């Protein structure tokens, strides 16, 4: 049986940013299942930030990985985005894209898709530049800690976003509930928490490496969010799944919640 990687050290040693990005974010014609899940995330972020008008000064993204797709709608609604990740190599991969370095992952196809949702596919270059301007910091983060950005202290944010992170950073349900609470602690009173979560999965692949994913049902996510002091504004569950060789999930769940005042 192939070893499933789970520890922080495993991520530092074995997580390949480009392998991960190519698997899940190519939006190529032969990536049907992965495309369906990616567009699920993009459409729900478009709804939250563009259609529903969630906005403010600062958005913090917890567990950004090497990706920027989650900022393509958010950059229209926030003056400042703080990206965060635990691993050095993911933060460096994002910086390579921000600096427009050769070999950085190409997000243009996904930028075009989001611009099409917003009504003008041809504005994708302008969109990418807006993302670059809006990301003000790329910080180290450990969501298993009560202060995920420690030793830095940042003012409470208008919105905290986290996609496909907390379930892979948590070894069990109590750890997951703590992770949601820790992420939620960064949100100001009345601000929003937005999650996109992989449901009923036990692993995901990044290149040839198999990483642990905590098995979660919708109820587990809802309970953790409510226990962290948030009211659920809306949620969307879809029974879309990854290719069987990539993950064994049985659905995707997007949720918008507001912190109680």
């Amino acid at each position: 049986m192939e070893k499933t990687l789970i520890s922080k050290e495993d991520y530092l040693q074995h997580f390949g940013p480009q392998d991960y990005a190519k698997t899940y974010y190519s939006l190529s014609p032969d990536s049907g299942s992965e495309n369906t899940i990616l567009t699920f995330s993009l459409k729900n972020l478009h709804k939250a930030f563009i259609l529903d008008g969630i906005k403010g000064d600062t958005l913090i993204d917890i567990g950004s990985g090497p990706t920027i797709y989650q900022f393509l709608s958010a950059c229209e609604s926030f003056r400042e985005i703080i990206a965060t990740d635990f691993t050095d190599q993911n933060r460096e991969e994002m910086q390579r894209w921000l600096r427009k370095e050769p070999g950085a992952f190409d997000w243009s196809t996904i930028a075009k898709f989001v611009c099409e949702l917003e009504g003008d596919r041809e504005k994708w270059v302008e969109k990418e530049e807006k993302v670059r301007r809006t990301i003000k910091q790329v910080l180290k983060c450990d969501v298993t800690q009560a202060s995920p950005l420690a030793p830095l202290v940042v003012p409470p944010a208008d919105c905290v976003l986290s996609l496909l992170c907390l379930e892979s950073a948590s070894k069990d349900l109590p750890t997951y509930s703590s992770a949601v609470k820790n992420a939620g602690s960064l949100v100001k009173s009345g601000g929003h928490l937005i999650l996109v979560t992989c449901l009923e999965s036990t692993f995901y692949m990044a290149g040839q490496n198999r990483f642990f994913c905590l098995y979660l049902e919708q109820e587990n996510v809802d309970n953790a969010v409510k226990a962290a002091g948030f009211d659920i504004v809306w949620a969307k569950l879809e029974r879309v799944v990854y290719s069987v060789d990539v993950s064994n999930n049985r659905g995707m769940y997007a949720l918008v919640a507001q912190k109680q005042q």
Side-chain angles (χ1 to χ4, degrees), residues 7 25 42 86 93 113 179 233:
S7 72
Y25 306 107
L42 296 172
F86 179 73
E93 181 64 30
F113 178 88
V233 178

Side-chain angles (χ1 to χ4, degrees), residues 22-60:
K22 287 172 184 172
T23 298
Y24 298 96
Y25 306 107
S26 293
L27 208 59
S28 61
D30 56 350
S31 300
S33 298
E34 285 66 61
N35 291 352
T36 302
I37 289 177
L38 174 57
T39 56
F40 170 83
S41 297
L42 296 172
K43 288 174 181 176
N44 281 289
L45 294 175
H46 173 76
K47 172 173 166 53
F49 296 124
I50 306 301
L51 302 182
D52 292 355
I54 292 175
K55 61 185 178 181
D57 289 326
T58 304
L59 177 142
I60 299 174

Side-chain angles (χ1 to χ4, degrees), residues 81-99:
I81 290 173
I82 299 173
T84 75
D85 198 75
F86 179 73
T87 71
D88 303 336
Q89 63 268 33
N90 278 341
R91 297 195 308 277
E92 178 55 29
E93 181 64 30
M94 183 180 293
Q95 293 281 15
R96 290 176 67 203
W97 182 83
L98 291 172
R99 296 189 296 254

